[in-house]
Amino acid sequence: MNNNSFFITTPIYYVNDHPHIGHAYTSIACDVLARFNRLKNNKTMFLTGTDEHGLKIEQAAKKNKMNTKEFVDQMSIGFKNLTKILNLSNDFFVRTTEEYHKKASRHIWNILKKNNQIYLDKYKGWYSVSDEAYFNDNEITIDKVTKKKIAPSGNEVEWVEEESYFFKLSEWQEKLLDFYKKNPDFIGPKSRKNEVIKFVESGLNDLSISRTTFSWGIEVPDDKKHVMYVWLDALINYLSAIGYPNKKYKDYWPANLHIVGKDILRFHAVYWPAFLLAADIEPPKRIFAHGWWTNEGKKISKSIGNVINPNEIIKEYGLDTLRFFLLKEVPFGNDGDFSKKSLETRINNDLANDLGNLVQRILTIINKNFDGKINKINNLKDNDKELYYLPEKILIEIEENYNKQEFHKVIENIWKLISKANKYVDENAPWELIKNEKNRAEDVLNILIIIIAKISILLFPIMPEVSENILNKIGLTIKNLSMNDIGKDNFLNLSFKIKKPEIIFQKIE
Ligand code: ME8
């Protein structure tokens, strides 16, 4: 792998249903990290896509009275559109029904077989179609209302008995525990890591990795009766999308980060590294499992009818506002509740009052008093330096927080800079300086423009459109900038031509 490459992935989403706010959440988080890494000039690969095989999808197509292939083609478009709606900067969109993916999956299967990791037997046990997962007896309970047998997710299970190929997962228990020990950052956040370790310590059974009672899947090599278990097929997307089995996949592999929801951590942190180690492929560097969103306190579910369509929120409040809210409202890793009231509070306070006001008042003063033109700085005074050199310190903190996927702290870091800038405005009162000390006023305003430019660069990964708009107002564009511009004296010798401000964030009454 290239030293400065950065490969980040979302889960590939099931096409049985339309995208909602939960999918948007994971994808936005990945987009932010991809954009940050690009601005650091890292060779970045951001992958998302759709998971299109398995019984759940086959059943959904039937329910919609459609041919399965036509159904997945149509539903996948919905997720592709989501990448546009969310302004995602993904470099590729993988689909598991594509031929390159099937080829990569069969290739891995053959290696596992060659490595004596697969055997044929009979599966007898519980299966949840909604989770596409197998369960042991001791994981099954009875639903109080429906009286049906359910998995820990609350989804119904059915009894399955069929011939199946098995992966020798039980052989990997000790090796996985050893791997977690040697790679302490493999699973985040820490609380989830402990859960995974406990699960593995409790013992691993061999895993059924093929099905025979339906056909919507990737055929098992040399045995047409079987299709591959959809999770084996799905996980392989992370390799097939970057060219595997062609050696060029090593340009990006091992992936730096798979971001997933807590619901699917076990597949990524237990099965995936076991499959990879068994196939002589290095596991990814890190898996981070984020929390679960509820809607105004209730579980988001189609049957309750409270699914949040990201499109509607974006139409009402704007995309960058939603991106900001999702990452600021809840520490990444915790569960969160989506409510319009808290979204509106964020818009009024953090966005309109703090950021909006700063930009608005500085641009307005410059336009009114200097006809939009600000000459280069004459003299940087001691009491300017604290603010002037703050961005580079903030960037160090930001980077540490991004490395831990602590997005809310990144936003706090940026807001510390915004609030210091607002304080500097109040203390130096440029509207007073204009009266008798015009040169000093110009220096103060130029420093503030530089700080606003740096705030915009730091904020760009999270709010790309807002940041680019602000940069454009001061005659800059992100296309010519990078995180290197946060450094010490960048922009010091620049004169600026400032356009008239427009209100960036409208307050909500
Ligand atoms: O599990 N809150 O696909 P999926 C937060 N195809 N995140 C949520 C959420 C919520 N309420 N609802 C969904 C699959 N998500 C498999 C993945 S990967 C090789 C295969 C997000 O369509 C979250 O990231 O059910 C969760 O893990 C993912 O959507 C599940 O998407």
Side-chain angles (χ1 to χ4, degrees):
M1 190 185 85
N2 201 313
N3 256 348
N4 74 339
S5 76
F6 182 76
F7 178 24
I8 181 159
T9 68
T10 73
I12 48 169
Y13 305 115
Y14 285 129
V15 289
N16 64 310
D17 215 335
H18 302 284
H20 64 68
I21 201 80
H23 305 117
Y25 183 49
T26 322
S27 293
I28 288 170
C30 292
D31 185 56
V32 169
L33 282 166
R35 286 176 184 275
F36 178 70
N37 274 277
R38 278 193 211 101
L39 280 181
K40 283 188 46 150
N41 298 325
N42 287 334
K43 191 173 158 231
T44 302
M45 172 74 180
F46 168 23
L47 174 68
T48 187
T50 41
D51 189 352
E52 306 186 4
H53 286 133
L55 191 51
K56 168 157 143 165
I57 310 290
E58 194 181 85
Q59 287 179 352
K62 262 198 200 117
K63 212 170 137 200
N64 284 277
K65 300 193 174 55
M66 279 180 79
N67 164 288
T68 316
K69 180 70 172 85
E70 281 166 17
F71 176 73
V72 301
D73 285 348
Q74 177 187 312
M75 296 300 284
S76 179
I77 289 173
F79 284 91
K80 219 170 201 174
N81 286 344
L82 186 73
T83 66
K84 306 278 177 289
I85 292 165
L86 300 176
N87 192 13
L88 301 184
S89 61
N90 57 301
D91 300 283
F92 193 65
F93 188 96
V94 59
R95 295 186 57 192
T96 55
T97 48
E98 300 270 9
E99 206 42 52
Y100 63 82
H101 173 77
K102 294 182 187 170
K103 194 174 136 206
S105 302
R106 290 194 194 106
H107 194 88
I108 297 262
W109 182 284
N110 285 332
I111 297 181
L112 291 174
K113 205 167 146 195
K114 189 182 93 217
N115 287 356
N116 192 24
Q117 292 294 317
I118 294 180
Y119 63 92
L120 188 62
D121 202 343
K122 191 167 180 193
Y123 179 76
K124 259 196 207 171
W126 300 104
Y127 193 80
S128 153
V129 179
S130 293
D131 298 325
E132 292 285 19
Y134 302 93
F135 293 96
N136 295 329
D137 258 339
N138 61 10
E139 293 175 287
I140 304 301
T141 50
I142 308 279
D143 186 276
K144 286 193 190 84
V145 182
T146 62
K147 306 285 179 232
K148 286 184 173 153
K149 290 196 164 62
I150 52 167
S153 57
N155 291 322
E156 207 182 308
V157 290
E158 57 189 47
W159 184 256
V160 170
E161 273 190 45
E162 65 189 46
E163 184 186 85
S164 171
Y165 284 98
F166 282 79
F167 169 67
K168 294 182 180 170
L169 183 64
S170 58
E171 282 189 0
W172 290 92
Q173 180 179 359
E174 287 311 315
K175 288 174 206 147
L176 280 173
L177 291 171
D178 192 46
F179 176 79
Y180 302 145
K181 207 179 262 167
K182 287 196 179 119
N183 299 278
D185 294 329
F186 179 62
I187 302 167
K190 281 211 173 67
S191 54
R192 299 257 168 243
K193 172 177 155 176
N194 298 337
E195 272 173 29
V196 169
I197 291 177
K198 262 196 208 129
F199 171 75
V200 175
E201 278 172 347
S202 75
L204 294 176
N205 298 326
D206 288 349
L207 182 71
S208 160
I209 50 164
S210 76
R211 304 281 320 255
T212 49
T213 43
F214 63 92
S215 60
W216 187 245
I218 300 178
E219 250 176 40
V220 164
D222 308 319
D223 194 343
K224 285 192 160 65
K225 259 194 341 225
H226 292 252
V227 291
M228 283 183 207
Y229 173 38
V230 63
W231 267 102
L232 173 60
D233 158 351
L235 287 160
I236 293 170
N237 91 84
Y238 302 130
L239 290 170
S240 69
I242 51 169
Y244 183 89
N246 185 312
K247 289 261 180 304
K248 73 174 185 196
Y249 85 96
K250 290 194 172 159
D251 287 354
Y252 288 108
W253 195 261
N256 296 70
L257 183 61
H258 295 315
I259 292 191
V260 300
K262 63 179 184 181
D263 55 327
I264 55 174
L265 178 60
R266 191 183 289 184
F267 300 95
H268 283 81
V270 181
Y271 302 163
W272 184 222
F275 291 147
L276 288 167
L277 290 168
D280 307 313
I281 300 172
E282 212 179 319
K285 293 206 168 137
R286 184 165 162 88
I287 319 276
F288 189 96
H290 65 65
W292 215 238
W293 282 94
T294 50
N295 181 5
E296 314 272 351
K298 290 203 182 76
K299 185 182 169 192
I300 298 175
S301 111
K302 222 178 164 186
S303 49
I304 301 176
N306 66 347
V307 174
I308 304 167
N309 178 345
N311 232 338
E312 281 162 22
I313 303 291
I314 292 165
K315 274 193 194 128
E316 198 170 344
Y317 298 99
L319 169 62
D320 279 6
T321 308
L322 174 68
R323 292 172 62 110
F324 174 86
F325 172 77
L326 290 175
L327 297 178
K328 175 69 171 64
E329 188 66 6
V330 183
F332 208 57
N334 293 8
D335 293 337
D337 185 43
F338 193 97
S339 88
K340 287 194 173 180
K341 192 157 181 289
S342 25
L343 177 60
E344 289 171 4
T345 309
R346 292 261 168 242
I347 295 176
N348 288 348
N349 297 345
D350 303 355
L351 298 177
N353 279 355
D354 300 344
L355 174 61
N357 237 347
L358 173 68
V359 176
Q360 191 76 16
R361 56 183 178 158
I362 299 311
L363 268 54
T364 306
I365 300 176
I366 297 176
N367 268 286
K368 268 201 183 138
N369 300 283
F370 295 88
D371 198 23
K373 286 191 210 80
I374 282 287
N375 290 317
K376 66 178 202 176
I377 295 172
N378 282 310
N379 181 16
L380 208 54
K381 286 193 174 174
D382 274 352
N383 65 349
D384 298 330
K385 287 185 180 161
E386 192 200 345
L387 177 67
Y388 190 82
Y389 293 124
L390 188 57
E392 53 181 319
K393 293 192 190 119
I394 297 272
L395 177 58
I396 295 169
E397 293 171 17
I398 286 179
E399 185 148 22
E400 281 171 10
N401 287 323
Y402 272 138
N403 286 340
K404 294 183 278 180
Q405 291 76 48
E406 297 199 294
F407 296 95
H408 70 293
K409 288 197 182 158
V410 169
I411 293 176
E412 279 166 24
N413 297 143
I414 300 173
W415 255 252
K416 187 160 95 189
L417 184 57
I418 293 173
S419 94
K420 284 270 177 308
N422 272 323
K423 199 165 147 237
Y424 177 88
V425 177
D426 296 338
E427 283 169 3
N428 287 277
W431 51 90
E432 291 295 331
L433 293 171
I434 286 163
K435 293 177 192 156
N436 311 310
E437 297 173 70
K438 217 162 176 187
N439 282 348
R440 175 64 190 152
E442 209 170 347
D443 278 2
V444 166
L445 291 167
N446 195 324
I447 287 168
L448 282 161
I449 288 296
I450 292 173
I451 295 298
I452 289 172
K454 293 188 177 180
I455 289 169
S456 307
I457 299 170
L458 294 173
L459 191 60
F460 180 81
I462 297 164
M463 304 183 87
E465 275 175 13
V466 163
S467 303
E468 179 70 349
N469 278 343
I470 300 174
L471 287 169
N472 289 166
K473 291 277 175 223
I474 54 185
L476 299 172
T477 169
I478 198 72
K479 290 186 190 80
N480 302 327
L481 299 166
S482 77
M483 284 296 159
N484 291 336
D485 291 300
I486 301 300
K488 264 198 169 49
D489 289 333
N490 295 42
F491 306 140
L492 190 61
N493 291 318
L494 284 190
S495 313
F496 290 96
K497 175 84 186 82
I498 310 294
K499 292 187 194 127
K500 284 214 168 65
E502 284 152 27
I503 290 175
I504 317 175
F505 304 105
Q506 200 74 48
K507 274 200 171 187
I508 296 166
E509 301 304 332

